[in-house]
Amino acid sequence: MSTQRDTIEVMEVAPRDGFQSIAEPLPTADKVAIIQGLIDAGCQRLEFGAFVSPKAVPQMADMGEIAAHFAPRRDLRLCVLVPNLKGAEAARRHGLHDLGYVYSASQTHNQRNVRRSREASIDGLRELVTFMQDAPEFRLRVNVATSFDCPFDGAIDLATLREAVTPIWDIVGDAEVALCDTTGRAHPHQVRAAFEAMMAECPHPATRWAFHGHDTFGMGVANALFAHQAGVRVFDSSAAGLGGCPFAPGATGNTATEDLLFAFHEAGIDSGIDLLRLLDVADRIAELPGGVTASHLRMVPRRRVV
Amino acid sequence: MSTQRDTIEVMEVAPRDGFQSIAEPLPTADKVAIIQGLIDAGCQRLEFGAFVSPKAVPQMADMGEIAAHFAPRRDLRLCVLVPNLKGAEAARRHGLHDLGYVYSASQTHNQRNVRRSREASIDGLRELVTFMQDAPEFRLRVNVATSFDCPFDGAIDLATLREAVTPIWDIVGDAEVALCDTTGRAHPHQVRAAFEAMMAECPHPATRWAFHGHDTFGMGVANALFAHQAGVRVFDSSAAGLGGCPFAPGATGNTATEDLLFAFHEAGIDSGIDLLRLLDVADRIAELPGGVTASHLRMVPRRRVV
């Protein structure tokens, strides 16, 4: 009935956020096959992996090998998380130029997640941007974790979010900034209000805004749609909902890409991804040993999907 | 962040729509205890049961006994589904005056569900309203099943929905009309557009609009919030998401009351229901043998809920 001539960009995060939630390292060949399946389904942006210490994150230890398969594909945007300059240099060596950087709006979460203060993390962002000034082929996504809620400190108010987000504008200029609902506890009106406030205050009109959501509290799709109402056009999600949840055994993780696509595609808002083909990959992901998945669309008969 | 000074009414449907999804009759005492728990949690409107043939619906055979426990509570709205005049007369004998009547926007679904044409069902509504004219203590909810999607015919367009809804206005005047997403396949923009269209066309300004949703496709909360954006203030949901799904084994049924409450309460839109107490009842419902439930809120630690 209602159709909006509009498109969204989906960042498929199963290859990084998803795989990383599985403790036991997966065979590289399986990862490559799944990534290839996602690309074949039409995913053009992927959170592709991370250049981090293999001791800290064993699941990402084969990053170089995976990069070798896909880095030549210049038509894709393969985003790798880098915690520091060393990671950025590794990305360059492997021919990857979409970088992701993450810190938390919550001081407590930042300390526990990356073992330094939020200010130290923002200094790290400054270093990364300086590095990128001599390398114009790079693009940067800044992920602000716990933008709405922190598992330790509870609700994040607008003042705290502002303290976390405004340095990005000074350091990066026109960046892509993701407000991340790390815990899945954000609620739709909060998500819309936060984006509206940050967008209104941002001095760089070309800043791109992204929403990264989890479905732990059942708000995943609604939060994304309310972010869309605020003007967000870039969404992170994970095929099959792979992701798990750090504090609630059995609870769901990332919003499932297939659920998100259904909500948008049915309204005539296209993503360029083929939902049925994406569902086939989601089925394969759901079979990975050790993975926690949660999807609504996967449970209904395929003939009812499109 | 965003707060709206606003309230909603929730019709808790576990006692009818929920229990009826369980084939094996539940002990009457268990049903009474659960209904009492829902009332103690603050539920003031319940889809309380149905006066139907016990042969057709064995789960509702103890309706009279359950009614005897609660009919004296004049502070509550206990809605009973009645398929015809005989059901309405049974409701009156048991001291219940909130009646629910259902037919489908889809001809095929109406035929399979109540074994007559939509027009014959609308004639039945006319008879019921004539009966109620001499009994001003009665109130009527009209449920339009498959308002958005039919498991047999697929998407319901606005013209078909209009054919189903407009007779209500001629027959009832100011009714409460629920557009029901029977299959859970409606999507948020469709729900909002359908309500906006019906509201704009309705000649009775005091008509109350309700949304009955399922979470089968993961759209349950988002659909309710988009209905709210259209102006809907009455929502059906089932504690623990009890309800099952007629065509997809393993898929979820009614939108869980606790998920719905979280989405609204967090935005400052109150329902009068105590979410933590409702969750305790939802836990009890989830233990019922033979029930299919689906809830997000139940899976997160209670200390994170409020």
Side-chain angles (χ1 to χ4, degrees):
Chain A
M1 300 184 188
S2 160
T3 52
Q4 303 184 7
R5 298 216 162 272
D6 202 349
T7 59
I8 55 166
E9 263 182 53
V10 172
M11 168 101 88
E12 169 56 56
V13 304
R16 204 286 306 174
D17 200 349
F19 289 164
Q20 193 171 318
S21 72
I22 300 176
E24 192 67 27
L26 300 163
T28 304
D30 287 1
K31 294 185 197 172
V32 167
I34 286 170
I35 292 169
Q36 186 63 54
L38 292 167
I39 293 167
D40 292 344
C43 296
Q44 296 201 296
R45 284 190 79 172
L46 295 102
E47 196 182 72
F48 179 66
F51 284 108
V52 287
S53 152
K55 256 189 215 160
V57 189
Q59 190 61 271
M60 293 292 129
D62 56 358
M63 198 59 240
E65 206 178 327
I66 295 175
H69 275 88
F70 297 102
R73 290 286 301 263
R74 308 310 256 175
D75 54 326
L76 305 173
R77 292 192 61 186
L78 306 174
C79 184
V80 282
L81 282 192
V82 296
N84 46 39
L85 276 187
K86 203 176 148 192
E89 282 157 3
R92 176 151 63 182
R93 278 199 308 280
H94 289 93
L96 296 169
H97 305 106
D98 256 273
L99 303 185
Y101 187 78
V102 62
Y103 64 93
S104 308
S106 150
Q107 285 282 10
T108 312
H109 189 267
N110 202 67
Q111 197 70 46
R112 299 228 195 170
N113 196 38
V114 293
R115 294 172 200 283
R116 52 182 177 170
S117 70
R118 195 177 68 193
E119 289 63 36
S121 278
I122 291 171
D123 287 342
L125 175 63
R126 202 172 275 114
E127 284 175 24
L128 201 60
V129 170
T130 305
F131 163 87
M132 287 174 59
Q133 275 168 351
D134 304 324
E137 68 274 28
F138 281 101
R139 289 205 268 186
L140 181 63
R141 150 76 78 95
V142 184
N143 295 305
V144 182
T146 65
S147 279
F148 307 94
D149 175 72
C150 167
F152 312 109
D153 297 347
I156 298 297
D157 60 20
L158 264 187
T160 305
L161 181 61
R162 186 178 290 116
E163 282 172 17
V165 170
T166 51
I168 302 172
W169 302 334
D170 300 333
I171 297 169
V172 194
D174 290 330
E176 180 171 280
V177 181
L179 303 187
C180 302
D181 178 23
T182 308
T183 63
R185 202 193 177 284
H187 65 89
H189 290 84
Q190 176 189 18
V191 170
R192 190 177 59 195
F195 275 109
E196 283 173 351
M198 293 302 107
M199 286 167 161
E201 295 173 24
C202 179
H204 303 292
T207 293
R208 301 199 74 196
W209 295 90
F211 176 65
H212 173 101
H214 285 238
D215 197 37
T216 315
F217 286 68
M219 305 294 121
V221 165
N223 282 342
L225 292 174
F226 273 60
H228 183 263
Q229 289 184 347
V232 175
R233 293 296 178 267
V234 183
F235 298 90
D236 291 3
S237 60
S238 178
L242 184 68
C245 174
F247 65 90
T252 61
N254 287 289
T255 303
T257 304
E258 55 270 30
D259 294 355
L260 194 77
L261 293 184
F262 184 83
F264 281 110
H265 288 186
E266 288 286 311
I269 303 166
D270 195 36
S271 67
I273 300 171
D274 183 316
L275 178 50
L276 287 174
R277 294 182 75 176
L278 189 280
L279 276 163
D280 289 341
V281 188
D283 284 344
R284 178 160 188 175
I285 289 173
E287 288 165 9
L288 292 175
V292 175
T293 58
S295 161
H296 296 84
L297 261 282
R298 279 191 59 243
M299 307 304 291
V300 301
R302 291 296 147 90
R303 66 181 164 75
R304 295 280 291 145
V305 167
V306 287
Chain B
M1 301 184 186
S2 160
T3 53
Q4 302 186 7
R5 298 216 162 272
D6 203 347
T7 60
I8 55 164
E9 265 182 50
V10 171
M11 168 101 88
E12 170 55 56
V13 304
R16 204 287 306 174
D17 200 348
F19 290 164
Q20 194 171 316
S21 72
I22 299 176
E24 192 67 28
L26 300 163
T28 304
D30 287 1
K31 294 186 198 172
V32 167
I34 286 170
I35 293 170
Q36 188 63 54
L38 292 167
I39 293 167
D40 292 344
C43 296
Q44 295 202 297
R45 285 191 78 171
L46 295 101
E47 195 180 76
F48 179 66
F51 285 109
V52 288
S53 154
K55 255 189 216 160
V57 189
Q59 191 60 272
M60 293 292 129
D62 56 359
M63 198 58 239
E65 206 178 328
I66 294 174
H69 275 87
F70 297 102
R73 289 286 302 262
R74 307 311 253 177
D75 55 324
L76 304 174
R77 292 193 61 186
L78 305 173
C79 185
V80 281
L81 281 192
V82 296
N84 48 37
L85 275 188
K86 203 175 149 192
E89 281 157 3
R92 175 148 68 179
R93 278 199 306 281
H94 289 93
L96 295 169
H97 304 106
D98 257 274
L99 303 184
Y101 186 78
V102 61
Y103 64 93
S104 308
S106 150
Q107 286 282 10
T108 311
H109 188 267
N110 203 66
Q111 196 70 46
R112 300 230 195 169
N113 195 37
V114 294
R115 292 171 200 285
R116 51 183 177 168
S117 71
R118 195 177 67 192
E119 288 64 36
S121 279
I122 290 171
D123 287 342
L125 175 63
R126 204 172 273 115
E127 284 175 24
L128 200 61
V129 170
T130 305
F131 163 86
M132 287 173 60
Q133 275 169 350
D134 303 324
E137 68 274 27
F138 280 101
R139 290 204 267 186
L140 182 62
R141 151 74 79 93
V142 184
N143 295 305
V144 182
T146 63
S147 279
F148 308 95
D149 175 73
C150 167
F152 311 108
D153 297 346
I156 299 296
D157 61 21
L158 264 186
T160 306
L161 180 61
R162 186 178 290 116
E163 282 172 15
V165 170
T166 52
I168 303 172
W169 302 334
D170 300 333
I171 297 168
V172 194
D174 289 331
E176 181 172 279
V177 181
L179 304 188
C180 303
D181 178 23
T182 307
T183 62
R185 202 195 177 282
H187 65 89
H189 290 83
Q190 177 190 17
V191 169
R192 189 176 62 193
F195 275 108
E196 283 173 350
M198 293 301 109
M199 287 168 161
E201 294 173 23
C202 178
H204 302 291
T207 293
R208 301 200 73 199
W209 296 90
F211 176 65
H212 174 102
H214 285 237
D215 196 37
T216 316
F217 286 69
M219 305 293 121
V221 165
N223 282 342
L225 292 174
F226 273 61
H228 183 263
Q229 290 184 346
V232 176
R233 293 296 178 268
V234 183
F235 297 90
D236 292 3
S237 59
S238 180
L242 184 68
C245 176
F247 64 90
T252 64
N254 287 288
T255 303
T257 304
E258 55 270 29
D259 294 356
L260 194 76
L261 293 184
F262 183 83
F264 282 111
H265 288 187
E266 288 286 312
I269 303 168
D270 195 35
S271 67
I273 301 171
D274 182 316
L275 177 51
L276 287 175
R277 295 183 74 175
L278 189 280
L279 276 163
D280 288 342
V281 188
D283 284 344
R284 179 161 186 171
I285 289 173
E287 288 165 9
L288 292 174
V292 175
T293 58
S295 160
H296 296 83
L297 261 282
R298 279 191 60 243
M299 306 304 289
V300 301
R302 290 295 146 90
R303 66 183 163 74
R304 296 280 293 144
V305 167
V306 288

